[in-house]
């Protein structure tokens, strides 16, 4: 079965146009404020981004993240301190900082505003202040955060892991079937990511990782939908044993 245009995926998360000047901001202290843009609650699946506005002479505290961060200066002039090495930056200069490397940004001007656009490589990105050890999720800065630490819905997010053992010789057909089925999942309420991996030691053993906003989105929503029947119709002919699904919640991202 091949996906046709009428079966094209339509995500349960809408497309958005985000205007920073129309969104709520969070005071970061020291004359800086942050405006989260793409957040978990707005449909982010693999990254977060936003802007931070620095008043004249403003700077934020030295800190580190558990994931890769890239920052672009989008207005004004800045100084970045990466693990003690200070570098002057101008508009559109861009930094790349690996996980767990201490750094911070400063406005190089005492009279003009400076702005940065930041991107983190995971929706589970965190910030740890070097001096105090204070720790929190980046998404906790969003207005939709439940308590200032965890964004609404993050507590109930689950990853479904499906063990799939394919009849030897059917691997190529199975992989095509899973590719065709992806559109069925993308249309499902609460489905956020969909990825298939294959074991090196046993080429007929696969695992499917699907992140859902809530457990019920999978167990009550998807499993009772026509898309679930379509999924089984696509993959079952290629399986040597019935699929086995278990569910996991996020605990820690180290890098």
């Amino acid at each position: 079965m091949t996906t046709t245009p009428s079966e094209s995926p339509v995500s349960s998360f809408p497309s958005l146009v985000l205007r920073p000047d129309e969104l709520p901001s969070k005071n970061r202290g020291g004359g800086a404020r942050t405006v989260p843009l793409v957040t978990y609650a707005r449909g982010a699946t693999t990254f977060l981004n936003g802007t931070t506005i620095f008043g004249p002479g403003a700077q934020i505290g030295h800190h580190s993240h558990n994931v890769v961060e890239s920052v672009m200066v989008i207005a004004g002039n800045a100084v970045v301190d990466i693990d003690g090495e200070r570098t002057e930056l101008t508009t559109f200069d861009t930094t790349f900082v690996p996980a767990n490397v201490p750094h911070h940004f400063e406005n190089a001007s005492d009279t003009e505003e400076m702005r940065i656009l930041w991107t983190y490589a995971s929706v589970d990105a965190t910030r740890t202040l070097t001096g105090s050890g204070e720790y929190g999720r980046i998404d906790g800065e969003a207005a939709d955060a439940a308590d200032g630490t965890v964004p609404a819905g993050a507590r109930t997010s689950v990853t479904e892991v499906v063990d799939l053992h394919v009849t030897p010789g059917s691997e190529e057909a199975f992989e095509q079937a899973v590719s065709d089925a992806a559109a069925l999942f993308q249309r499902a309420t609460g489905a956020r990511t969909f990825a298939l991996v294959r074991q090196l030691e046993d080429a007929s053993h696969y695992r499917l990782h699907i992140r859902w906003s809530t457990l019920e989105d999978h167990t009550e929503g998807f499993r009772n939908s026509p898309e679930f029947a379509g999924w089984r119709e696509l993959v079952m002919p290629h399986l040597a044993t019935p699929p086995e699904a278990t569910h996991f919640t996020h605990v820690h991202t180290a890098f």
Side-chain angles (χ1 to χ4, degrees):
M1 177 178 177
T2 301
T3 302
T4 64
S6 63
E7 297 169 319
S8 60
V10 177
S11 173
S12 59
F13 295 93
S15 301
L16 300 172
V17 174
L18 302 168
R19 305 182 189 278
D21 291 343
E22 299 174 2
L23 296 173
S25 64
K26 178 180 178 64
N27 184 1
R28 293 282 301 281
R33 58 188 175 89
T34 287
V35 181
L37 295 172
V38 177
T39 65
Y40 179 87
R42 292 172 181 149
T45 58
T46 56
F47 73 93
L48 304 172
N49 71 11
T51 64
T52 300
I53 302 95
F54 294 73
Q59 67 177 55
I60 55 180
H62 217 50
H63 60 275
S64 61
H65 306 289
N66 61 332
V67 299
V68 166
E69 177 195 34
S70 181
V71 169
M72 176 185 290
V73 178
I74 57 175
N77 296 293
V79 173
V80 62
D81 183 319
I82 302 176
D83 206 14
E85 182 175 344
R86 296 172 62 82
T87 304
E88 294 183 359
L89 305 174
T90 191
T91 306
F92 304 130
D93 286 348
T94 301
T95 63
F96 171 86
V97 179
N100 304 312
V101 175
H103 61 281
H104 75 268
F105 287 83
E106 306 171 9
N107 188 346
S109 172
D110 291 328
T111 59
E112 303 294 329
E113 186 178 86
M114 185 270 286
R115 295 188 179 213
I116 60 173
L117 172 68
W118 43 262
T119 301
Y120 298 101
S122 170
V123 294
D124 297 308
T126 64
R127 176 187 292 105
T128 301
L129 297 182
T130 304
S132 66
E134 182 182 347
Y135 165 92
R137 285 180 62 109
I138 297 299
D139 233 3
E141 297 173 354
D144 46 47
D147 59 7
T149 303
V150 182
R155 291 187 184 86
T156 55
S157 172
V158 301
T159 298
E160 175 194 2
V161 179
V162 188
D163 269 288
L164 299 155
H165 294 270
V166 176
T167 302
S170 299
E171 291 84 2
E172 184 176 348
F174 167 76
E175 291 179 13
Q176 181 60 54
V178 173
S179 178
D180 292 340
L184 302 176
F185 285 85
Q186 192 169 0
R187 291 198 297 266
T189 298
R192 304 183 74 97
T193 61
F194 180 93
L196 182 70
V197 296
R198 183 179 187 177
Q199 184 175 317
L200 290 177
E201 294 80 4
D202 178 358
S204 65
H205 183 195
Y206 294 79
R207 278 184 178 161
L208 185 64
H209 296 180
I210 309 164
R211 187 165 183 170
W212 299 92
S213 293
T214 68
L215 177 63
E216 291 74 22
D217 284 333
H218 175 224
T219 59
E220 299 177 13
F222 183 72
R223 283 187 176 174
N224 292 316
S225 71
E227 285 76 14
F228 179 64
W231 155 250
R232 293 182 67 84
E233 180 183 348
L234 281 165
V235 302
M236 290 301 288
H238 309 293
L239 298 183
T241 61
E244 297 181 7
T246 50
H247 299 89
F248 297 82
T249 59
H250 177 265
V251 175
H252 180 61
T253 297
F255 60 90

